[in-house]
Amino acid sequence: MMIPLRRAALAAALLGLAVLLPPVTAHADTAPACLTATPAPDPEQGRLADPRTTAFPERAALDTFVRRFPAALCATRTAAEAERLLDGWGEALWQAAVNRAQGRRPGGDLPAGDDRPLYWARLAMTDRLARWQPGFTIDRAALRSRFEDASRGLTANEFRAAPGVRRVFISGFDPFGLDAELRRANPSGSAALQLNGRRVTLADGTPAEIRAVVLPVRYADFDAGIVERAYGPRLAPGPRAAHTITSISQGYPGIFTLEAWAGRARSADPYPDNTGALSGGTYEHPVTAPGMGPGAEFLRTSLPTDAMTGVQTPYPVLLNTAVTEIPAGEQYPVDREDGPTPGSRAVAGGGGGYLSNEVAYRSNRLRLELAPRLPGGHLHTPVLTGLPADQAQLTGADFERNESAITAQVLAVLLRSHPTG
């Protein structure tokens, strides 16, 4: 997920359900009276009015989560119970999506690696949570945050403490740009689901385990520290700490790019996030995101980029060294192809000034604070194309083939992400 580097290019761019689903009372598929009929005001949830959004979880056999969730809410009697409920259902939804992506949970006719059913199921469940009227006091925002974290892989998703096994941590993103095309998917989210928990062999023959999370395309969640909550536990010293981190998002058509630089600024306006919110920053007037810890204007990747760019099929993998900066003592932004100059103000890193750049900056700022020798950086995938022209068709052969090819190459690049020697 990104805003392209230059403003001229801005617009180019577990098994069965019974095992995973927490128990609820009888008649779980009926509409309980404890939910108001008034739709939730969140603009992202407002897209649920389109019937195609219901079809995604239905055609992936994740709709049972959505249908049974209201009854589970209505059976809850205390705030502590509500916290446990949101944790449990979020973790169950995440694991069901991972199991489906990896072929352990068959169901529906959408491709196994499709990230869209998880996105739309989660969003429908947050809509039900927003309309829940319990008979006791709750912190609704905190409950949603718990559910979001759990259903995105931030909880109950630790590395195994296995001697001799390298630990590779990645993050992907939700679909975005949905007002222009509601059927959009995000190959970085698909890769996260298909790779989470997998044991693989690195290019040097070392065994490795991959763990993954899927992040929202929302400024408010970044302001509230979701990147730090995702990466912090994996960077803290201990037997389950990551050896390599790579944030991943969707980028340019037809190519992968490894971003040499992440910038500290937001500068993506007028491009909104999934709720319609703006960053408050432009190329002419970049801003620093709320909650950002101390750090340099630009941070350089420490991934072994020479090895990782050795993977060149089916898509080229390029090292992107471009940035946009306001040079020291000047007022206006300048595009540079060879990285920043000393003392400059960040405008855009390799991932532009949107959330893909920000996840790279936040995660690597934290890496430098907690584990400075660790390899870390950001990978952009090609844009996922191939949706049928007929808006009623949610998938197609070209779309599925492209998604599979991108995910396979993400893994091939990651297998070279640990330095040898």
Side-chain angles (χ1 to χ4, degrees):
M1 176 208 73
M2 70 172 293
I3 292 295
L5 274 173
R6 300 292 170 253
R7 284 164 285 177
L10 189 66
L14 323 179
L15 301 176
L17 186 61
V19 175
L20 292 172
L21 203 60
V24 297
T25 56
H27 310 297
D29 288 348
T30 60
C34 75
L35 267 64
T36 66
T38 305
D42 184 331
E44 189 174 23
Q45 295 164 338
R47 298 189 186 98
L48 294 167
D50 190 310
R52 291 174 297 175
T53 66
T54 303
F56 282 110
E58 287 178 348
R59 292 177 58 182
L62 293 182
D63 56 315
T64 308
F65 282 91
V66 180
R67 290 186 287 107
R68 294 181 65 187
F69 187 53
L73 289 173
C74 292
T76 304
R77 296 291 175 260
T78 68
E81 275 186 35
E83 291 179 352
R84 292 191 294 270
L85 178 86
L86 273 297
D87 291 344
W89 279 71
E91 289 166 4
L93 178 63
W94 167 257
Q95 194 58 58
V98 167
N99 285 345
R100 185 176 189 278
Q102 298 182 23
R104 296 190 296 271
R105 187 180 182 278
D109 64 343
L110 290 178
D114 199 327
D115 65 309
R116 298 171 296 175
L118 172 60
Y119 173 76
W120 291 109
R122 180 196 301 114
L123 197 61
M125 293 169 76
T126 64
D127 170 78
R128 291 4 174 221
L129 176 62
R131 294 193 282 120
W132 179 37
Q133 301 298 316
F136 52 91
T137 301
I138 59 169
D139 184 336
R140 200 178 302 274
L143 288 177
R144 175 166 180 177
S145 180
R146 294 180 78 104
F147 178 73
E148 291 274 354
D149 282 7
S151 64
R152 294 179 177 281
L154 273 70
T155 64
N157 191 24
E158 294 79 18
F159 287 104
R160 289 165 281 192
V165 177
R166 310 301 296 182
R167 295 178 289 275
V168 177
F169 184 67
I170 65 173
S171 62
F173 272 106
D174 285 345
F176 68 105
L178 299 170
D179 288 332
E181 172 54 84
L182 189 81
R183 299 172 298 163
R184 278 184 178 149
N186 194 321
S188 69
S190 175
L193 292 174
Q194 294 185 62
L195 298 178
N196 183 65
R198 282 184 55 182
R199 284 286 182 91
V200 297
T201 302
L202 299 178
D204 65 357
T206 305
E209 177 184 355
I210 301 174
R211 290 286 164 175
V213 298
V214 176
L215 299 172
V217 185
R218 296 190 297 247
Y219 287 115
D221 293 74
F222 274 55
D223 295 347
I226 194 168
V227 174
E228 289 77 8
R229 294 199 305 276
Y231 280 86
R234 278 80 178 189
L235 290 168
R240 299 176 189 270
H243 293 108
T244 305
I245 62 167
T246 306
S247 52
I248 308 173
S249 63
Q250 182 174 223
Y252 299 102
I255 60 170
F256 279 85
T257 55
L258 277 165
E259 305 305 338
W261 297 95
R264 189 172 173 81
R266 288 178 179 172
S267 58
D269 295 356
Y271 195 88
D273 70 6
N274 273 352
T275 69
L278 298 175
S279 72
T282 65
Y283 267 53
E284 288 70 27
H285 300 286
V287 298
T288 299
M292 188 83 80
E297 287 293 303
F298 290 97
L299 301 179
R300 188 177 180 90
T301 183
S302 58
L303 289 171
T305 55
D306 287 347
M308 295 172 76
T309 54
V311 181
Q312 290 293 317
T313 57
Y315 300 96
V317 181
L318 309 177
L319 178 63
N320 180 15
T321 59
V323 300
T324 302
E325 66 175 13
I326 298 175
E330 299 187 22
Q331 301 181 48
Y332 301 106
V334 174
D335 296 332
R336 294 187 55 86
E337 296 301 321
D338 54 353
T341 56
S344 67
R345 168 81 163 95
V347 175
Y354 198 40
L355 291 173
S356 59
N357 169 78
E358 189 167 327
V359 69
Y361 186 93
R362 285 181 180 268
S363 60
N364 283 280
R365 192 210 66 79
L366 198 61
R367 174 183 62 80
L368 289 171
E369 180 181 304
L370 299 177
R373 295 186 178 181
L374 196 97
H378 189 83
L379 175 68
H380 271 118
T381 75
V383 174
L384 177 55
T385 59
L387 283 170
D390 182 353
Q391 289 288 312
Q393 295 186 40
L394 303 186
T395 189
D398 289 344
F399 173 82
E400 295 177 17
R401 184 167 46 250
N402 293 340
E403 182 180 62
S404 295
I406 292 172
T407 298
Q409 194 167 349
V410 167
L411 176 58
V413 172
L414 290 175
L415 293 181
R416 298 181 177 219
S417 65
H418 184 74
T420 58

